[in-house]
Structures are given as structure tokens and as C-alpha cells.
Amino acid sequence: MIAQLQESTSLLITLTVIIGLMIGSFLNVVIYRMPKMIEKSWQRQCAEFQGKPVEASPVFNLAVPRSICPHCRHKIAFWENIPILSYLFLRGRCAECHAPISVRYPIIEAVTGIISGFVAWHFGWGWLMIAALLFVWALIALAAIDIDTHLLPDDITLPLMWLGILVNMQTGFTNLQSAVIGAVAGYLSLWGVYWIFKLITGKEGMGYGDFKLLAAIGAWLGWSILPLVILLSSLVGAIVGVGLIIAAKLHKDIMMPFGPYLAGGALIALFWGQEINHAYFGLF
């Protein structure tokens, strides 16, 4: 099977897209449940700190309980959970109560499948492709969670950073020294911007999760890619923010999540970062 994947690019891409669709379905669970798991953990910690009794609650994690319709509590059957196809078959509605299902679910599945296929085409079969897939899947989950809740969970960002360093121990996407410096520089660069902005304006311009995400990106792609990631994410974020303000859909004092733009910049850098850097420095 491995030999066939090495020889047939079309087979590799097809299989990776299918796996990506299934992972996208799982990412929907992560995106929905992880913030709730964090909230429950905070509530327990607050109760313990205040000396209050901690009420027992049903097990709630990424595996338990089964997915249900939030409107009628209908338990989702396996045939209702097939990526994209189930949404189309059900016409975007619950099989039991016919309440609308968010279109975001098939979008996450489709985006994950498409980007996964592109990773397979770009890197070809090998451990670097598998590593890139893990990186991409984590970025998708983080971006969506940040959009929903303005949170970038440590449970994803910190393991992602350490995994990036491990991947680059054998010079994966960069060398180990660049990965370690990238992790440190990624964190400290946004940490510095945060404090400068806070001292000048008295406001918090971003969250600590952004520092950790950029540290993870630096650990995966190396320190030399960080300026490109910051430039791309800031540029796109500014354009989108100004556009939303002009369209009166965002108040100028409301914070926008920066994680999705960092994730987008990281994806561009993963595929074309070195080429963009070489083209830029070639101008001088």
C-alpha cells in the first residue's frame, strides 16, 4: 500500500482528502466541545478556590457523550454524521425535528479535506506530509475556536509547539536551532507588542493565546518565517477589520480574534514561505 501511495499521486491525494474529511468531522467536535470543557474546568477550579462543593456532572469530553441535536436532543446516528454527504442528504436539517444544522459543519469538513489533499500534493508521501497534516489540522481547529470564543486553548497550542520542535529535530521544515529560536521569538515578539500597546493605550490588544500560537508556528517553520507570518496576518486582519467597520458590522472598540489570521499566515508560509522570502530578499 505504501509503495502504491509513493507511486500514485492521485491515489495519495484521494485517500488524504477522504481522511481529511473525516478529520474535519472530528474537528467540528473539538471546536464545539473544547471551549465547553475549558469552561467546566474553570468552574470547578473557581469552586475549589472558594471552598465551595464541586457538583458532580456527567462526563463530557471529546468522546463522550454522543453528539446530539441541540434543539431536540436527538442522538446523531452514524449515517447522519458522514462528512458533507449527510448534510446534503438531510438538506441541512435535523433528521428528527428538522431544525437547521449550521452550515459551518460541512464547511469545516470541506476545508479540512481540500487543504489535506493539497498537503499531500505539495509534500508527497512521507513523514513530512504526515507532520504537515497534523500542523494544518491543529491550525484549522484553533482558528475556528478563536472565531467562536476568542480562545486559543493551551491544550492545543502548547502540544503543537513541542511537537514542532520534535519534528524539526531531524530537520523537518527547518533545523532544530531555528525551531527553538522560532518558538522563543514567536512568543516574545507578540508579548512585546502586547505590552507596548497596553502601556500606550491602556488596553489589551491581543490575548496570551496569540503569543503561544505564534510560538508554535515558529517552532514548526523556524524563526526566519515569522516576519512573513506576522506581516500576512496583520495585513489581512487589518483589511478585514476595516471592511467590517465600514460595513458597520464591527465596532471599532470590539476586539477581533487574531488567531485565524495567524493560522492563515502560517498556512501560506508552510507552502510558499521559503519561496516568498527568497523572492523578497532577491530584490536587494
mmCIF file of all heavy atoms in Angstrom, residues 52-85:
data_model
loop_
_atom_site.group_PDB
_atom_site.id
_atom_site.type_symbol
_atom_site.label_atom_id
_atom_site.label_comp_id
_atom_site.label_asym_id
_atom_site.label_seq_id
_atom_site.Cartn_x
_atom_site.Cartn_y
_atom_site.Cartn_z
ATOM 1 N N LYS A 52 -16.107 25.989 47.882
ATOM 2 C CA LYS A 52 -17.475 25.531 47.667
ATOM 3 C C LYS A 52 -17.465 24.077 47.190
ATOM 4 O O LYS A 52 -16.498 23.635 46.566
ATOM 5 C CB LYS A 52 -18.173 26.412 46.628
ATOM 6 C CG LYS A 52 -18.339 27.865 47.048
ATOM 7 C CD LYS A 52 -19.031 28.661 45.955
ATOM 8 C CE LYS A 52 -19.210 30.120 46.368
ATOM 9 N NZ LYS A 52 -19.866 30.914 45.292
ATOM 10 N N PRO A 53 -18.527 23.350 47.478
ATOM 11 C CA PRO A 53 -18.586 21.961 46.996
ATOM 12 C C PRO A 53 -18.661 21.914 45.472
ATOM 13 O O PRO A 53 -19.336 22.737 44.848
ATOM 14 C CB PRO A 53 -19.872 21.419 47.630
ATOM 15 C CG PRO A 53 -20.699 22.636 47.917
ATOM 16 C CD PRO A 53 -19.720 23.728 48.256
ATOM 17 N N VAL A 54 -17.950 20.980 44.905
ATOM 18 C CA VAL A 54 -17.948 20.813 43.454
ATOM 19 C C VAL A 54 -19.027 19.810 43.086
ATOM 20 O O VAL A 54 -18.983 18.649 43.499
ATOM 21 C CB VAL A 54 -16.570 20.326 42.952
ATOM 22 C CG1 VAL A 54 -16.596 20.135 41.440
ATOM 23 C CG2 VAL A 54 -15.488 21.308 43.360
ATOM 24 N N GLU A 55 -20.003 20.283 42.350
ATOM 25 C CA GLU A 55 -21.107 19.412 41.968
ATOM 26 C C GLU A 55 -20.656 18.404 40.914
ATOM 27 O O GLU A 55 -19.948 18.746 39.972
ATOM 28 C CB GLU A 55 -22.267 20.243 41.419
ATOM 29 C CG GLU A 55 -22.872 21.199 42.437
ATOM 30 C CD GLU A 55 -24.038 21.970 41.856
ATOM 31 O OE1 GLU A 55 -24.390 21.706 40.681
ATOM 32 O OE2 GLU A 55 -24.589 22.833 42.560
ATOM 33 N N ALA A 56 -21.079 17.174 41.119
ATOM 34 C CA ALA A 56 -20.770 16.135 40.135
ATOM 35 C C ALA A 56 -21.550 16.405 38.854
ATOM 36 O O ALA A 56 -22.715 16.798 38.890
ATOM 37 C CB ALA A 56 -21.131 14.763 40.689
ATOM 38 N N SER A 57 -20.891 16.233 37.742
ATOM 39 C CA SER A 57 -21.536 16.469 36.452
ATOM 40 C C SER A 57 -21.258 15.294 35.531
ATOM 41 O O SER A 57 -20.263 14.577 35.703
ATOM 42 C CB SER A 57 -21.019 17.767 35.822
ATOM 43 O OG SER A 57 -19.615 17.714 35.647
ATOM 44 N N PRO A 58 -22.122 15.074 34.562
ATOM 45 C CA PRO A 58 -21.902 13.961 33.628
ATOM 46 C C PRO A 58 -20.568 14.119 32.890
ATOM 47 O O PRO A 58 -20.074 15.230 32.694
ATOM 48 C CB PRO A 58 -23.090 14.079 32.662
ATOM 49 C CG PRO A 58 -24.117 14.883 33.390
ATOM 50 C CD PRO A 58 -23.357 15.813 34.274
ATOM 51 N N VAL A 59 -20.011 12.999 32.505
ATOM 52 C CA VAL A 59 -18.750 13.021 31.758
ATOM 53 C C VAL A 59 -18.956 13.771 30.448
ATOM 54 O O VAL A 59 -19.917 13.525 29.715
ATOM 55 C CB VAL A 59 -18.261 11.588 31.475
ATOM 56 C CG1 VAL A 59 -16.997 11.621 30.625
ATOM 57 C CG2 VAL A 59 -18.015 10.845 32.775
ATOM 58 N N PHE A 60 -18.057 14.714 30.194
ATOM 59 C CA PHE A 60 -18.149 15.496 28.962
ATOM 60 C C PHE A 60 -16.740 15.719 28.440
ATOM 61 O O PHE A 60 -15.952 16.458 29.021
ATOM 62 C CB PHE A 60 -18.833 16.843 29.226
ATOM 63 C CG PHE A 60 -19.089 17.649 27.978
ATOM 64 C CD1 PHE A 60 -20.226 17.436 27.218
ATOM 65 C CD2 PHE A 60 -18.185 18.620 27.557
ATOM 66 C CE1 PHE A 60 -20.465 18.179 26.065
ATOM 67 C CE2 PHE A 60 -18.409 19.360 26.415
ATOM 68 C CZ PHE A 60 -19.557 19.141 25.667
ATOM 69 N N ASN A 61 -16.415 15.040 27.359
ATOM 70 C CA ASN A 61 -15.108 15.213 26.737
ATOM 71 C C ASN A 61 -15.262 15.070 25.229
ATOM 72 O O ASN A 61 -16.381 15.141 24.709
ATOM 73 C CB ASN A 61 -14.089 14.216 27.309
ATOM 74 C CG ASN A 61 -14.581 12.781 27.237
ATOM 75 O OD1 ASN A 61 -15.159 12.356 26.233
ATOM 76 N ND2 ASN A 61 -14.367 12.019 28.308
ATOM 77 N N LEU A 62 -14.172 14.861 24.541
ATOM 78 C CA LEU A 62 -14.242 14.788 23.078
ATOM 79 C C LEU A 62 -14.873 13.494 22.580
ATOM 80 O O LEU A 62 -15.258 13.406 21.408
ATOM 81 C CB LEU A 62 -12.839 14.940 22.480
ATOM 82 C CG LEU A 62 -12.129 16.272 22.748
ATOM 83 C CD1 LEU A 62 -10.762 16.287 22.086
ATOM 84 C CD2 LEU A 62 -12.964 17.453 22.266
ATOM 85 N N ALA A 63 -14.989 12.504 23.453
ATOM 86 C CA ALA A 63 -15.542 11.210 23.043
ATOM 87 C C ALA A 63 -16.929 10.938 23.614
ATOM 88 O O ALA A 63 -17.738 10.235 22.998
ATOM 89 C CB ALA A 63 -14.593 10.087 23.463
ATOM 90 N N VAL A 64 -17.202 11.478 24.788
ATOM 91 C CA VAL A 64 -18.455 11.210 25.496
ATOM 92 C C VAL A 64 -19.078 12.537 25.911
ATOM 93 O O VAL A 64 -18.362 13.439 26.383
ATOM 94 C CB VAL A 64 -18.189 10.338 26.744
ATOM 95 C CG1 VAL A 64 -19.478 10.086 27.515
ATOM 96 C CG2 VAL A 64 -17.527 9.023 26.346
ATOM 97 N N PRO A 65 -20.393 12.699 25.780
ATOM 98 C CA PRO A 65 -21.399 11.772 25.254
ATOM 99 C C PRO A 65 -21.476 11.821 23.728
ATOM 100 O O PRO A 65 -20.735 12.577 23.090
ATOM 101 C CB PRO A 65 -22.691 12.312 25.876
ATOM 102 C CG PRO A 65 -22.453 13.795 25.935
ATOM 103 C CD PRO A 65 -20.997 13.948 26.272
ATOM 104 N N ARG A 66 -22.391 11.046 23.183
ATOM 105 C CA ARG A 66 -22.605 11.070 21.740
ATOM 106 C C ARG A 66 -23.136 12.432 21.313
ATOM 107 O O ARG A 66 -23.788 13.138 22.083
ATOM 108 C CB ARG A 66 -23.616 9.989 21.336
ATOM 109 C CG ARG A 66 -23.059 8.590 21.283
ATOM 110 C CD ARG A 66 -24.143 7.579 20.976
ATOM 111 N NE ARG A 66 -24.882 7.908 19.754
ATOM 112 C CZ ARG A 66 -25.934 7.213 19.316
ATOM 113 N NH1 ARG A 66 -26.357 6.159 20.009
ATOM 114 N NH2 ARG A 66 -26.550 7.555 18.208
ATOM 115 N N SER A 67 -22.859 12.783 20.076
ATOM 116 C CA SER A 67 -23.350 14.052 19.544
ATOM 117 C C SER A 67 -24.873 14.028 19.462
ATOM 118 O O SER A 67 -25.472 12.998 19.122
ATOM 119 C CB SER A 67 -22.759 14.308 18.156
ATOM 120 O OG SER A 67 -21.356 14.429 18.219
ATOM 121 N N ILE A 68 -25.477 15.168 19.786
ATOM 122 C CA ILE A 68 -26.935 15.273 19.764
ATOM 123 C C ILE A 68 -27.346 16.561 19.067
ATOM 124 O O ILE A 68 -26.551 17.492 18.914
ATOM 125 C CB ILE A 68 -27.529 15.262 21.189
ATOM 126 C CG1 ILE A 68 -26.974 16.446 21.997
ATOM 127 C CG2 ILE A 68 -27.266 13.940 21.887
ATOM 128 C CD1 ILE A 68 -27.625 16.625 23.352
ATOM 129 N N CYS A 69 -28.595 16.603 18.661
ATOM 130 C CA CYS A 69 -29.163 17.844 18.131
ATOM 131 C C CYS A 69 -29.387 18.798 19.294
ATOM 132 O O CYS A 69 -30.017 18.418 20.288
ATOM 133 C CB CYS A 69 -30.483 17.554 17.416
ATOM 134 S SG CYS A 69 -31.403 19.054 16.952
ATOM 135 N N PRO A 70 -28.886 20.021 19.231
ATOM 136 C CA PRO A 70 -29.058 20.955 20.351
ATOM 137 C C PRO A 70 -30.503 21.404 20.545
ATOM 138 O O PRO A 70 -30.840 21.958 21.593
ATOM 139 C CB PRO A 70 -28.165 22.140 19.952
ATOM 140 C CG PRO A 70 -28.075 22.068 18.466
ATOM 141 C CD PRO A 70 -28.115 20.609 18.124
ATOM 142 N N HIS A 71 -31.354 21.145 19.572
ATOM 143 C CA HIS A 71 -32.745 21.593 19.658
ATOM 144 C C HIS A 71 -33.655 20.532 20.278
ATOM 145 O O HIS A 71 -34.426 20.826 21.193
ATOM 146 C CB HIS A 71 -33.261 21.970 18.266
ATOM 147 C CG HIS A 71 -32.473 23.050 17.603
ATOM 148 N ND1 HIS A 71 -32.609 24.382 17.922
ATOM 149 C CD2 HIS A 71 -31.513 22.988 16.636
ATOM 150 C CE1 HIS A 71 -31.786 25.105 17.186
ATOM 151 N NE2 HIS A 71 -31.104 24.286 16.396
ATOM 152 N N CYS A 72 -33.553 19.291 19.789
ATOM 153 C CA CYS A 72 -34.479 18.248 20.256
ATOM 154 C C CYS A 72 -33.778 17.133 21.026
ATOM 155 O O CYS A 72 -34.432 16.179 21.457
ATOM 156 C CB CYS A 72 -35.244 17.658 19.069
ATOM 157 S SG CYS A 72 -34.203 16.709 17.918
ATOM 158 N N ARG A 73 -32.451 17.218 21.170
ATOM 159 C CA ARG A 73 -31.642 16.231 21.900
ATOM 160 C C ARG A 73 -31.589 14.877 21.195
ATOM 161 O O ARG A 73 -31.246 13.866 21.788
ATOM 162 C CB ARG A 73 -32.166 16.028 23.334
ATOM 163 C CG ARG A 73 -32.532 17.296 24.079
ATOM 164 C CD ARG A 73 -31.356 18.210 24.286
ATOM 165 N NE ARG A 73 -30.391 17.673 25.228
ATOM 166 C CZ ARG A 73 -29.252 18.285 25.557
ATOM 167 N NH1 ARG A 73 -28.940 19.442 24.981
ATOM 168 N NH2 ARG A 73 -28.432 17.744 26.417
ATOM 169 N N HIS A 74 -31.930 14.857 19.930
ATOM 170 C CA HIS A 74 -31.859 13.620 19.147
ATOM 171 C C HIS A 74 -30.410 13.174 19.011
ATOM 172 O O HIS A 74 -29.541 13.962 18.640
ATOM 173 C CB HIS A 74 -32.483 13.858 17.766
ATOM 174 C CG HIS A 74 -32.133 12.816 16.750
ATOM 175 N ND1 HIS A 74 -32.560 11.507 16.844
ATOM 176 C CD2 HIS A 74 -31.384 12.895 15.599
ATOM 177 C CE1 HIS A 74 -32.097 10.823 15.804
ATOM 178 N NE2 HIS A 74 -31.384 11.637 15.044
ATOM 179 N N LYS A 75 -30.134 11.911 19.332
ATOM 180 C CA LYS A 75 -28.779 11.384 19.208
ATOM 181 C C LYS A 75 -28.451 11.153 17.733
ATOM 182 O O LYS A 75 -29.204 10.507 17.018
ATOM 183 C CB LYS A 75 -28.635 10.083 19.993
ATOM 184 C CG LYS A 75 -28.703 10.276 21.504
ATOM 185 C CD LYS A 75 -28.467 8.974 22.245
ATOM 186 C CE LYS A 75 -28.498 9.196 23.755
ATOM 187 N NZ LYS A 75 -28.272 7.927 24.503
ATOM 188 N N ILE A 76 -27.307 11.688 17.332
ATOM 189 C CA ILE A 76 -26.915 11.625 15.926
ATOM 190 C C ILE A 76 -26.459 10.212 15.571
ATOM 191 O O ILE A 76 -25.522 9.681 16.175
ATOM 192 C CB ILE A 76 -25.783 12.630 15.623
ATOM 193 C CG1 ILE A 76 -26.172 14.036 16.102
ATOM 194 C CG2 ILE A 76 -25.441 12.624 14.145
ATOM 195 C CD1 ILE A 76 -27.399 14.601 15.447
ATOM 196 N N ALA A 77 -27.130 9.601 14.612
ATOM 197 C CA ALA A 77 -26.745 8.265 14.152
ATOM 198 C C ALA A 77 -25.528 8.368 13.242
ATOM 199 O O ALA A 77 -25.208 9.436 12.717
ATOM 200 C CB ALA A 77 -27.910 7.616 13.412
ATOM 201 N N PHE A 78 -24.868 7.233 13.027
ATOM 202 C CA PHE A 78 -23.631 7.261 12.238
ATOM 203 C C PHE A 78 -23.892 7.741 10.818
ATOM 204 O O PHE A 78 -23.073 8.443 10.224
ATOM 205 C CB PHE A 78 -22.987 5.867 12.226
ATOM 206 C CG PHE A 78 -23.629 4.898 11.278
ATOM 207 C CD1 PHE A 78 -23.164 4.757 9.980
ATOM 208 C CD2 PHE A 78 -24.720 4.132 11.670
ATOM 209 C CE1 PHE A 78 -23.750 3.865 9.098
ATOM 210 C CE2 PHE A 78 -25.315 3.244 10.795
ATOM 211 C CZ PHE A 78 -24.834 3.114 9.506
ATOM 212 N N TRP A 79 -25.051 7.372 10.262
ATOM 213 C CA TRP A 79 -25.338 7.759 8.885
ATOM 214 C C TRP A 79 -25.665 9.249 8.763
ATOM 215 O O TRP A 79 -25.652 9.800 7.658
ATOM 216 C CB TRP A 79 -26.487 6.919 8.321
ATOM 217 C CG TRP A 79 -27.813 7.117 9.017
ATOM 218 C CD1 TRP A 79 -28.295 6.422 10.081
ATOM 219 C CD2 TRP A 79 -28.815 8.080 8.677
ATOM 220 N NE1 TRP A 79 -29.534 6.890 10.445
ATOM 221 C CE2 TRP A 79 -29.879 7.907 9.590
ATOM 222 C CE3 TRP A 79 -28.921 9.072 7.700
ATOM 223 C CZ2 TRP A 79 -31.030 8.687 9.558
ATOM 224 C CZ3 TRP A 79 -30.068 9.850 7.663
ATOM 225 C CH2 TRP A 79 -31.105 9.652 8.584
ATOM 226 N N GLU A 80 -25.944 9.891 9.903
ATOM 227 C CA GLU A 80 -26.186 11.335 9.907
ATOM 228 C C GLU A 80 -24.896 12.122 10.106
ATOM 229 O O GLU A 80 -24.921 13.344 10.146
ATOM 230 C CB GLU A 80 -27.166 11.703 11.025
ATOM 231 C CG GLU A 80 -28.524 11.044 10.922
ATOM 232 C CD GLU A 80 -29.356 11.281 12.161
ATOM 233 O OE1 GLU A 80 -30.027 12.325 12.196
ATOM 234 O OE2 GLU A 80 -29.322 10.447 13.093
ATOM 235 N N ASN A 81 -23.795 11.402 10.232
ATOM 236 C CA ASN A 81 -22.522 12.045 10.566
ATOM 237 C C ASN A 81 -21.462 11.811 9.502
ATOM 238 O O ASN A 81 -20.274 11.986 9.764
ATOM 239 C CB ASN A 81 -22.028 11.511 11.917
ATOM 240 C CG ASN A 81 -21.292 12.569 12.710
ATOM 241 O OD1 ASN A 81 -21.447 13.764 12.476
ATOM 242 N ND2 ASN A 81 -20.475 12.132 13.651
ATOM 243 N N ILE A 82 -21.879 11.421 8.314
ATOM 244 C CA ILE A 82 -20.938 11.227 7.215
ATOM 245 C C ILE A 82 -20.550 12.604 6.671
ATOM 246 O O ILE A 82 -21.432 13.395 6.321
ATOM 247 C CB ILE A 82 -21.559 10.373 6.093
ATOM 248 C CG1 ILE A 82 -21.984 9.010 6.644
ATOM 249 C CG2 ILE A 82 -20.580 10.199 4.938
ATOM 250 C CD1 ILE A 82 -22.780 8.177 5.664
ATOM 251 N N PRO A 83 -19.272 12.904 6.616
ATOM 252 C CA PRO A 83 -18.854 14.255 6.215
ATOM 253 C C PRO A 83 -19.495 14.722 4.911
ATOM 254 O O PRO A 83 -19.498 13.998 3.911
ATOM 255 C CB PRO A 83 -17.331 14.114 6.067
ATOM 256 C CG PRO A 83 -16.974 13.005 6.988
ATOM 257 C CD PRO A 83 -18.119 12.044 6.922
ATOM 258 N N ILE A 84 -20.060 15.887 4.935
ATOM 259 C CA ILE A 84 -20.677 16.595 3.805
ATOM 260 C C ILE A 84 -21.909 15.858 3.267
ATOM 261 O O ILE A 84 -22.984 16.452 3.108
ATOM 262 C CB ILE A 84 -19.668 16.847 2.665
ATOM 263 C CG1 ILE A 84 -18.529 17.743 3.172
ATOM 264 C CG2 ILE A 84 -20.355 17.490 1.457
ATOM 265 C CD1 ILE A 84 -17.474 18.062 2.134
ATOM 266 N N LEU A 85 -21.782 14.560 2.991
ATOM 267 C CA LEU A 85 -22.877 13.812 2.379
ATOM 268 C C LEU A 85 -24.123 13.813 3.258
ATOM 269 O O LEU A 85 -25.246 13.973 2.754
ATOM 270 C CB LEU A 85 -22.442 12.376 2.081
ATOM 271 C CG LEU A 85 -21.326 12.212 1.043
ATOM 272 C CD1 LEU A 85 -20.985 10.743 0.858
ATOM 273 C CD2 LEU A 85 -21.740 12.841 -0.288
#
